[in-house]
Amino acid sequence: MDANWHEASIRGNGLSIELPALGAGIHGTYNSANLSFVADTDWKNFLFGLTGACDLTGYDCYIPYQITWGQTFDVQGQVRNLGTGTVTAPFYVDFVLSKNQVWGDADDVLLGWYNHQADVPGRAGGVDGFGPDFNFSLTLPASPPAGYTGTGPFYIGMKTDSRNEIPESDETNNGPGDFGEGWDWDTFIVPPPDLVGYDCNIPDQITWGQTFNLQGQVRNLGPTTVTPSFSVEFFLSQDQVWGDADDVFMGWYNHQADVPAGGFGPDFNVSLTLPASPPAGYAGTGPFYIGMKTDALNVILESDETNNGPG
């Protein structure tokens, strides 16, 4: 017998045939034309018997509707078998982040993989076979990958048998997008931040024309960290009614530091100068008021755009 061939016995009748030796890296169960070749422990003898072909697909892929960058979350998954042969060998399920529903292109980011070890029974009596539900923890990147802008929606898809360890009758339906939302992919949004002014401290006494220091601080009420820069504007007012005709723009600060989710940006200092003489309608010694408007140019998309101004 040629050295590249090994004996194989037909299960139950003792007949012998010749089969090619296994190539490097080939292992597990091989299904082809309703024949299943199963290697024994010494990789020399093979048993084959009549079985059905396997056909794995993603069935469940559920994630939270809102996820923030850097957050760890659970995905619930389940695998379906459209073929009649039971899958008993383990295989991997990959989970991929995408900015759109085009899978397999340059913007996709591998988030992790699940080692699926449970059996996936075959289709029987007109009913597909299903593996058990599984839960697996994934973590989004700490900041948006290149090209991921705004709050989404973004997508997470599952690719079943991602390393092609299980030979199947159809190898084209393992990836996300082959079925639909909640089946082999799901969608989420990144909840937006919510910036407000927190500190606005000035001297108690300032004369007209005087340059003085203002100490400010910005707060983020939302669940998402603000990383882009934004402007903070400062206004003089003769009263606590903001946005009317007597308000005088005094200057602005370019806020470049991060403002963490549910937290505070660092204190900052900015120099401002009062008008050389009282504006029209500003009489006496006051009190007068200086207020700050956070994200004055609306660069940052926020959950509440109505609470950026003074007051």
Side-chain angles (χ1 to χ4, degrees):
M1 181 178 294
D2 189 284
N4 291 324
W5 293 75
H6 295 294
E7 289 186 354
S9 59
I10 299 178
R11 182 176 297 170
N13 62 16
L15 296 177
S16 295
I17 62 172
E18 291 185 351
L19 292 174
L22 282 178
I26 299 177
H27 57 87
T29 301
Y30 175 72
N31 294 283
S32 177
N34 292 328
L35 295 179
S36 177
F37 298 88
V38 184
D40 70 5
T41 55
D42 66 6
W43 296 95
K44 294 180 180 178
N45 297 316
F46 297 83
L47 302 176
F48 79 97
L50 291 176
T51 69
C54 305
D55 184 15
L56 294 174
T57 70
Y59 182 70
D60 277 353
C61 182
Y62 294 127
I63 58 175
Y65 178 63
Q66 293 188 348
I67 315 173
T68 61
W69 297 113
Q71 179 181 340
T72 298
F73 60 96
D74 281 342
V75 57
Q76 176 183 299
Q78 189 179 25
V79 171
R80 176 170 60 174
N81 186 355
L82 302 177
T84 56
T86 296
V87 175
T88 59
F91 56 89
Y92 287 91
V93 180
D94 285 356
F95 292 92
V96 179
L97 169 69
S98 179
K99 70 176 183 180
N100 50 40
Q101 295 180 53
V102 179
W103 302 95
D105 57 2
D107 68 77
D108 290 1
V109 178
L110 177 65
L111 295 179
W113 58 86
Y114 175 75
N115 184 8
H116 194 291
Q117 301 191 36
D119 291 355
V120 186
R123 180 179 174 86
V127 179
D128 296 338
F130 298 90
D133 284 332
F134 61 86
N135 290 278
F136 187 64
S137 290
L138 298 171
T139 301
L140 285 186
S143 58
Y148 287 67
T149 59
T151 61
F154 303 116
Y155 306 87
I156 292 177
M158 59 188 288
K159 184 174 183 180
T160 305
D161 188 28
S162 57
R163 303 180 189 182
N164 291 324
E165 294 171 297
I166 307 299
E168 303 176 56
S169 60
D170 185 353
E171 297 285 4
T172 67
N173 59 359
N174 294 136
D178 294 327
F179 287 94
E181 183 174 10
W183 294 73
D184 54 13
W185 60 269
D186 206 357
T187 183
F188 71 96
I189 64 170
V190 177
D194 184 17
L195 295 174
V196 299
Y198 182 70
D199 275 351
C200 183
N201 296 319
I202 58 174
D204 290 335
Q205 295 185 353
I206 315 172
T207 61
W208 297 113
Q210 179 181 340
T211 297
F212 61 95
N213 183 74
L214 180 148
Q215 177 182 295
Q217 189 179 28
V218 171
R219 184 178 184 182
N220 183 358
L221 301 177
T224 301
T225 296
V226 174
T227 56
S229 60
F230 55 90
S231 296
V232 182
E233 294 183 350
F234 301 94
F235 295 87
L236 170 68
S237 179
Q238 67 171 344
D239 51 37
Q240 296 183 53
V241 178
W242 300 96
D244 57 2
D246 69 75
D247 291 0
V248 177
F249 175 69
M250 298 192 63
W252 61 282
Y253 173 76
N254 183 15
H255 195 292
Q256 299 189 40
D258 291 354
V259 187
F264 302 87
D267 287 331
F268 61 86
N269 292 276
V270 59
S271 290
L272 301 174
T273 302
L274 284 184
S277 59
Y282 286 67
T285 61
F288 303 117
Y289 305 87
I290 292 177
M292 59 188 284
K293 184 176 182 180
T294 305
D295 188 29
L297 302 181
N298 290 324
V299 172
I300 307 300
L301 178 65
E302 304 178 57
S303 58
D304 186 352
E305 298 284 4
T306 67
N307 58 359
N308 293 137

mmCIF file of all heavy atoms in Angstrom, residues 96-130:
data_model
loop_
_atom_site.group_PDB
_atom_site.id
_atom_site.type_symbol
_atom_site.label_atom_id
_atom_site.label_comp_id
_atom_site.label_asym_id
_atom_site.label_seq_id
_atom_site.Cartn_x
_atom_site.Cartn_y
_atom_site.Cartn_z
ATOM 1 N N VAL A 96 -18.015 40.937 15.286
ATOM 2 C CA VAL A 96 -17.366 42.008 14.537
ATOM 3 C C VAL A 96 -18.186 43.289 14.662
ATOM 4 O O VAL A 96 -19.417 43.267 14.548
ATOM 5 C CB VAL A 96 -17.233 41.614 13.048
ATOM 6 C CG1 VAL A 96 -16.585 42.735 12.248
ATOM 7 C CG2 VAL A 96 -16.422 40.329 12.910
ATOM 8 N N LEU A 97 -17.495 44.396 14.913
ATOM 9 C CA LEU A 97 -18.102 45.720 14.930
ATOM 10 C C LEU A 97 -18.020 46.317 13.531
ATOM 11 O O LEU A 97 -16.990 46.206 12.859
ATOM 12 C CB LEU A 97 -17.358 46.612 15.926
ATOM 13 C CG LEU A 97 -17.669 48.114 15.914
ATOM 14 C CD1 LEU A 97 -19.084 48.378 16.416
ATOM 15 C CD2 LEU A 97 -16.647 48.872 16.764
ATOM 16 N N SER A 98 -19.105 46.959 13.094
ATOM 17 C CA SER A 98 -19.113 47.607 11.785
ATOM 18 C C SER A 98 -19.860 48.932 11.887
ATOM 19 O O SER A 98 -20.797 49.067 12.673
ATOM 20 C CB SER A 98 -19.787 46.713 10.739
ATOM 21 O OG SER A 98 -19.819 47.344 9.467
ATOM 22 N N LYS A 99 -19.442 49.901 11.079
ATOM 23 C CA LYS A 99 -20.144 51.186 11.071
ATOM 24 C C LYS A 99 -21.341 51.169 10.127
ATOM 25 O O LYS A 99 -22.110 52.131 10.076
ATOM 26 C CB LYS A 99 -19.195 52.323 10.694
ATOM 27 C CG LYS A 99 -18.740 52.324 9.254
ATOM 28 C CD LYS A 99 -17.878 53.543 8.970
ATOM 29 C CE LYS A 99 -17.477 53.607 7.506
ATOM 30 N NZ LYS A 99 -16.630 54.790 7.221
ATOM 31 N N ASN A 100 -21.496 50.080 9.386
ATOM 32 C CA ASN A 100 -22.606 49.964 8.444
ATOM 33 C C ASN A 100 -22.958 48.487 8.286
ATOM 34 O O ASN A 100 -22.415 47.627 8.983
ATOM 35 C CB ASN A 100 -22.235 50.589 7.094
ATOM 36 C CG ASN A 100 -20.890 50.090 6.586
ATOM 37 O OD1 ASN A 100 -20.561 48.909 6.717
ATOM 38 N ND2 ASN A 100 -20.095 50.986 6.021
ATOM 39 N N GLN A 101 -23.848 48.189 7.376
ATOM 40 C CA GLN A 101 -24.266 46.810 7.157
ATOM 41 C C GLN A 101 -23.515 46.155 6.002
ATOM 42 O O GLN A 101 -23.961 45.143 5.458
ATOM 43 C CB GLN A 101 -25.771 46.760 6.906
ATOM 44 C CG GLN A 101 -26.593 47.182 8.112
ATOM 45 C CD GLN A 101 -28.081 47.142 7.856
ATOM 46 O OE1 GLN A 101 -28.632 46.138 7.418
ATOM 47 N NE2 GLN A 101 -28.757 48.245 8.129
ATOM 48 N N VAL A 102 -22.376 46.740 5.657
ATOM 49 C CA VAL A 102 -21.478 46.111 4.684
ATOM 50 C C VAL A 102 -20.413 45.372 5.486
ATOM 51 O O VAL A 102 -19.584 45.988 6.156
ATOM 52 C CB VAL A 102 -20.836 47.161 3.759
ATOM 53 C CG1 VAL A 102 -19.881 46.487 2.781
ATOM 54 C CG2 VAL A 102 -21.914 47.936 3.020
ATOM 55 N N TRP A 103 -20.459 44.051 5.434
ATOM 56 C CA TRP A 103 -19.582 43.244 6.279
ATOM 57 C C TRP A 103 -18.362 42.771 5.492
ATOM 58 O O TRP A 103 -18.451 42.471 4.304
ATOM 59 C CB TRP A 103 -20.343 42.038 6.827
ATOM 60 C CG TRP A 103 -21.555 42.440 7.604
ATOM 61 C CD1 TRP A 103 -22.834 42.530 7.141
ATOM 62 C CD2 TRP A 103 -21.598 42.849 8.974
ATOM 63 N NE1 TRP A 103 -23.675 42.959 8.141
ATOM 64 C CE2 TRP A 103 -22.947 43.164 9.276
ATOM 65 C CE3 TRP A 103 -20.638 42.974 9.975
ATOM 66 C CZ2 TRP A 103 -23.353 43.589 10.534
ATOM 67 C CZ3 TRP A 103 -21.041 43.394 11.219
ATOM 68 C CH2 TRP A 103 -22.374 43.699 11.497
ATOM 69 N N GLY A 104 -17.218 42.743 6.184
ATOM 70 C CA GLY A 104 -16.003 42.241 5.565
ATOM 71 C C GLY A 104 -15.157 43.307 4.908
ATOM 72 O O GLY A 104 -14.177 42.982 4.235
ATOM 73 N N ASP A 105 -15.501 44.602 5.113
ATOM 74 C CA ASP A 105 -14.687 45.654 4.523
ATOM 75 C C ASP A 105 -13.748 46.247 5.568
ATOM 76 O O ASP A 105 -13.648 45.760 6.698
ATOM 77 C CB ASP A 105 -15.555 46.725 3.858
ATOM 78 C CG ASP A 105 -16.558 47.345 4.826
ATOM 79 O OD1 ASP A 105 -16.552 46.968 6.017
ATOM 80 O OD2 ASP A 105 -17.344 48.215 4.392
ATOM 81 N N ALA A 106 -13.067 47.331 5.198
ATOM 82 C CA ALA A 106 -11.959 47.836 6.011
ATOM 83 C C ALA A 106 -12.389 48.417 7.348
ATOM 84 O O ALA A 106 -11.571 48.507 8.270
ATOM 85 C CB ALA A 106 -11.190 48.897 5.217
ATOM 86 N N ASP A 107 -13.652 48.832 7.494
ATOM 87 C CA ASP A 107 -14.054 49.461 8.753
ATOM 88 C C ASP A 107 -14.448 48.449 9.827
ATOM 89 O O ASP A 107 -14.694 48.829 10.967
ATOM 90 C CB ASP A 107 -15.207 50.443 8.526
ATOM 91 C CG ASP A 107 -16.506 49.747 8.131
ATOM 92 O OD1 ASP A 107 -17.177 49.183 9.007
ATOM 93 O OD2 ASP A 107 -16.848 49.776 6.944
ATOM 94 N N ASP A 108 -14.520 47.171 9.495
ATOM 95 C CA ASP A 108 -14.910 46.164 10.482
ATOM 96 C C ASP A 108 -13.804 45.981 11.523
ATOM 97 O O ASP A 108 -12.612 46.000 11.197
ATOM 98 C CB ASP A 108 -15.189 44.821 9.807
ATOM 99 C CG ASP A 108 -16.458 44.854 8.960
ATOM 100 O OD1 ASP A 108 -17.089 45.919 8.897
ATOM 101 O OD2 ASP A 108 -16.795 43.821 8.367
ATOM 102 N N VAL A 109 -14.215 45.795 12.774
ATOM 103 C CA VAL A 109 -13.278 45.615 13.888
ATOM 104 C C VAL A 109 -13.656 44.341 14.636
ATOM 105 O O VAL A 109 -14.794 44.205 15.107
ATOM 106 C CB VAL A 109 -13.325 46.816 14.858
ATOM 107 C CG1 VAL A 109 -12.382 46.586 16.044
ATOM 108 C CG2 VAL A 109 -12.974 48.111 14.135
ATOM 109 N N LEU A 110 -12.720 43.404 14.739
ATOM 110 C CA LEU A 110 -12.969 42.174 15.494
ATOM 111 C C LEU A 110 -13.005 42.498 16.980
ATOM 112 O O LEU A 110 -12.049 43.027 17.536
ATOM 113 C CB LEU A 110 -11.881 41.139 15.208
ATOM 114 C CG LEU A 110 -11.982 39.826 15.999
ATOM 115 C CD1 LEU A 110 -13.246 39.057 15.621
ATOM 116 C CD2 LEU A 110 -10.739 38.965 15.779
ATOM 117 N N LEU A 111 -14.127 42.175 17.639
ATOM 118 C CA LEU A 111 -14.277 42.442 19.070
ATOM 119 C C LEU A 111 -13.903 41.243 19.930
ATOM 120 O O LEU A 111 -13.519 41.404 21.088
ATOM 121 C CB LEU A 111 -15.719 42.848 19.381
ATOM 122 C CG LEU A 111 -16.215 44.152 18.767
ATOM 123 C CD1 LEU A 111 -17.671 44.393 19.151
ATOM 124 C CD2 LEU A 111 -15.355 45.329 19.208
ATOM 125 N N GLY A 112 -14.043 40.045 19.399
ATOM 126 C CA GLY A 112 -13.738 38.851 20.181
ATOM 127 C C GLY A 112 -14.374 37.633 19.552
ATOM 128 O O GLY A 112 -15.016 37.707 18.502
ATOM 129 N N TRP A 113 -14.184 36.493 20.186
ATOM 130 C CA TRP A 113 -14.746 35.251 19.667
ATOM 131 C C TRP A 113 -15.185 34.352 20.815
ATOM 132 O O TRP A 113 -14.688 34.438 21.939
ATOM 133 C CB TRP A 113 -13.743 34.519 18.779
ATOM 134 C CG TRP A 113 -12.454 34.191 19.465
ATOM 135 C CD1 TRP A 113 -12.161 33.100 20.222
ATOM 136 C CD2 TRP A 113 -11.270 34.996 19.473
ATOM 137 N NE1 TRP A 113 -10.881 33.156 20.697
ATOM 138 C CE2 TRP A 113 -10.310 34.316 20.252
ATOM 139 C CE3 TRP A 113 -10.935 36.219 18.887
ATOM 140 C CZ2 TRP A 113 -9.043 34.826 20.458
ATOM 141 C CZ3 TRP A 113 -9.667 36.716 19.102
ATOM 142 C CH2 TRP A 113 -8.738 36.026 19.871
ATOM 143 N N TYR A 114 -16.154 33.513 20.506
ATOM 144 C CA TYR A 114 -16.711 32.567 21.471
ATOM 145 C C TYR A 114 -16.382 31.156 21.010
ATOM 146 O O TYR A 114 -16.581 30.810 19.845
ATOM 147 C CB TYR A 114 -18.224 32.753 21.570
ATOM 148 C CG TYR A 114 -18.913 31.741 22.465
ATOM 149 C CD1 TYR A 114 -18.820 31.830 23.848
ATOM 150 C CD2 TYR A 114 -19.652 30.699 21.920
ATOM 151 C CE1 TYR A 114 -19.445 30.912 24.667
ATOM 152 C CE2 TYR A 114 -20.288 29.771 22.736
ATOM 153 C CZ TYR A 114 -20.181 29.882 24.111
ATOM 154 O OH TYR A 114 -20.800 28.960 24.923
ATOM 155 N N ASN A 115 -15.860 30.342 21.932
ATOM 156 C CA ASN A 115 -15.534 28.953 21.636
ATOM 157 C C ASN A 115 -16.780 28.100 21.891
ATOM 158 O O ASN A 115 -17.108 27.784 23.033
ATOM 159 C CB ASN A 115 -14.365 28.495 22.505
ATOM 160 C CG ASN A 115 -13.914 27.081 22.176
ATOM 161 O OD1 ASN A 115 -14.367 26.478 21.201
ATOM 162 N ND2 ASN A 115 -13.014 26.547 22.990
ATOM 163 N N HIS A 116 -17.484 27.758 20.819
ATOM 164 C CA HIS A 116 -18.754 27.028 20.919
ATOM 165 C C HIS A 116 -18.457 25.535 21.023
ATOM 166 O O HIS A 116 -17.979 24.917 20.080
ATOM 167 C CB HIS A 116 -19.603 27.320 19.680
ATOM 168 C CG HIS A 116 -21.040 26.915 19.817
ATOM 169 N ND1 HIS A 116 -21.445 25.603 19.880
ATOM 170 C CD2 HIS A 116 -22.168 27.662 19.904
ATOM 171 C CE1 HIS A 116 -22.765 25.558 19.995
ATOM 172 N NE2 HIS A 116 -23.228 26.790 20.011
ATOM 173 N N GLN A 117 -18.750 24.949 22.178
ATOM 174 C CA GLN A 117 -18.414 23.542 22.407
ATOM 175 C C GLN A 117 -19.637 22.636 22.498
ATOM 176 O O GLN A 117 -19.499 21.418 22.475
ATOM 177 C CB GLN A 117 -17.580 23.416 23.687
ATOM 178 C CG GLN A 117 -16.282 24.211 23.628
ATOM 179 C CD GLN A 117 -15.343 23.877 24.766
ATOM 180 O OE1 GLN A 117 -15.263 22.730 25.206
ATOM 181 N NE2 GLN A 117 -14.627 24.879 25.251
ATOM 182 N N ALA A 118 -20.814 23.218 22.609
ATOM 183 C CA ALA A 118 -22.022 22.397 22.719
ATOM 184 C C ALA A 118 -22.404 21.819 21.356
ATOM 185 O O ALA A 118 -22.104 22.396 20.306
ATOM 186 C CB ALA A 118 -23.171 23.234 23.273
ATOM 187 N N ASP A 119 -23.071 20.669 21.369
ATOM 188 C CA ASP A 119 -23.566 20.071 20.131
ATOM 189 C C ASP A 119 -24.644 20.961 19.509
ATOM 190 O O ASP A 119 -25.389 21.657 20.210
ATOM 191 C CB ASP A 119 -24.167 18.692 20.395
ATOM 192 C CG ASP A 119 -23.118 17.653 20.782
ATOM 193 O OD1 ASP A 119 -21.914 17.990 20.746
ATOM 194 O OD2 ASP A 119 -23.506 16.525 21.128
ATOM 195 N N VAL A 120 -24.713 20.903 18.185
ATOM 196 C CA VAL A 120 -25.788 21.581 17.454
ATOM 197 C C VAL A 120 -26.507 20.509 16.641
ATOM 198 O O VAL A 120 -26.002 20.065 15.606
ATOM 199 C CB VAL A 120 -25.255 22.686 16.529
ATOM 200 C CG1 VAL A 120 -26.418 23.455 15.911
ATOM 201 C CG2 VAL A 120 -24.334 23.629 17.287
ATOM 202 N N PRO A 121 -27.659 20.041 17.109
ATOM 203 C CA PRO A 121 -28.340 18.940 16.423
ATOM 204 C C PRO A 121 -28.771 19.332 15.019
ATOM 205 O O PRO A 121 -28.961 20.515 14.711
ATOM 206 C CB PRO A 121 -29.545 18.655 17.324
ATOM 207 C CG PRO A 121 -29.758 19.912 18.097
ATOM 208 C CD PRO A 121 -28.412 20.522 18.281
ATOM 209 N N GLY A 122 -28.940 18.327 14.180
ATOM 210 C CA GLY A 122 -29.360 18.567 12.812
ATOM 211 C C GLY A 122 -30.860 18.765 12.688
ATOM 212 O O GLY A 122 -31.635 18.537 13.624
ATOM 213 N N ARG A 123 -31.250 19.198 11.525
ATOM 214 C CA ARG A 123 -32.658 19.404 11.204
ATOM 215 C C ARG A 123 -33.377 18.055 11.177
ATOM 216 O O ARG A 123 -32.879 17.081 10.605
ATOM 217 C CB ARG A 123 -32.759 20.093 9.845
ATOM 218 C CG ARG A 123 -34.168 20.383 9.359
ATOM 219 C CD ARG A 123 -34.104 21.096 8.009
ATOM 220 N NE ARG A 123 -35.424 21.282 7.436
ATOM 221 C CZ ARG A 123 -36.219 22.312 7.705
ATOM 222 N NH1 ARG A 123 -35.805 23.250 8.531
ATOM 223 N NH2 ARG A 123 -37.409 22.413 7.152
ATOM 224 N N ALA A 124 -34.544 18.010 11.801
ATOM 225 C CA ALA A 124 -35.310 16.760 11.850
ATOM 226 C C ALA A 124 -36.796 17.080 11.832
ATOM 227 O O ALA A 124 -37.243 18.025 12.491
ATOM 228 C CB ALA A 124 -34.961 15.958 13.109
ATOM 229 N N GLY A 125 -37.556 16.294 11.085
ATOM 230 C CA GLY A 125 -38.998 16.490 11.031
ATOM 231 C C GLY A 125 -39.401 17.849 10.516
ATOM 232 O O GLY A 125 -40.432 18.398 10.931
ATOM 233 N N GLY A 126 -38.597 18.415 9.631
ATOM 234 C CA GLY A 126 -38.901 19.727 9.086
ATOM 235 C C GLY A 126 -38.570 20.884 9.999
ATOM 236 O O GLY A 126 -38.910 22.032 9.696
ATOM 237 N N VAL A 127 -37.908 20.606 11.133
ATOM 238 C CA VAL A 127 -37.566 21.647 12.105
ATOM 239 C C VAL A 127 -36.050 21.778 12.181
ATOM 240 O O VAL A 127 -35.344 20.778 12.341
ATOM 241 C CB VAL A 127 -38.141 21.320 13.497
ATOM 242 C CG1 VAL A 127 -37.748 22.392 14.504
ATOM 243 C CG2 VAL A 127 -39.656 21.179 13.428
ATOM 244 N N ASP A 128 -35.548 23.013 12.070
ATOM 245 C CA ASP A 128 -34.111 23.243 12.163
ATOM 246 C C ASP A 128 -33.587 22.852 13.540
ATOM 247 O O ASP A 128 -34.322 22.877 14.539
ATOM 248 C CB ASP A 128 -33.786 24.720 11.916
ATOM 249 C CG ASP A 128 -34.148 25.161 10.508
ATOM 250 O OD1 ASP A 128 -34.238 24.297 9.627
ATOM 251 O OD2 ASP A 128 -34.345 26.382 10.312
ATOM 252 N N GLY A 129 -32.302 22.512 13.601
ATOM 253 C CA GLY A 129 -31.659 22.222 14.876
ATOM 254 C C GLY A 129 -30.987 23.464 15.440
ATOM 255 O O GLY A 129 -30.503 24.322 14.691
ATOM 256 N N PHE A 130 -30.954 23.565 16.769
ATOM 257 C CA PHE A 130 -30.404 24.754 17.416
ATOM 258 C C PHE A 130 -29.449 24.351 18.533
ATOM 259 O O PHE A 130 -29.731 23.427 19.301
ATOM 260 C CB PHE A 130 -31.517 25.621 18.011
ATOM 261 C CG PHE A 130 -32.487 26.145 16.992
ATOM 262 C CD1 PHE A 130 -33.624 25.421 16.662
ATOM 263 C CD2 PHE A 130 -32.249 27.337 16.345
ATOM 264 C CE1 PHE A 130 -34.514 25.892 15.717
ATOM 265 C CE2 PHE A 130 -33.131 27.824 15.397
ATOM 266 C CZ PHE A 130 -34.271 27.093 15.076
#
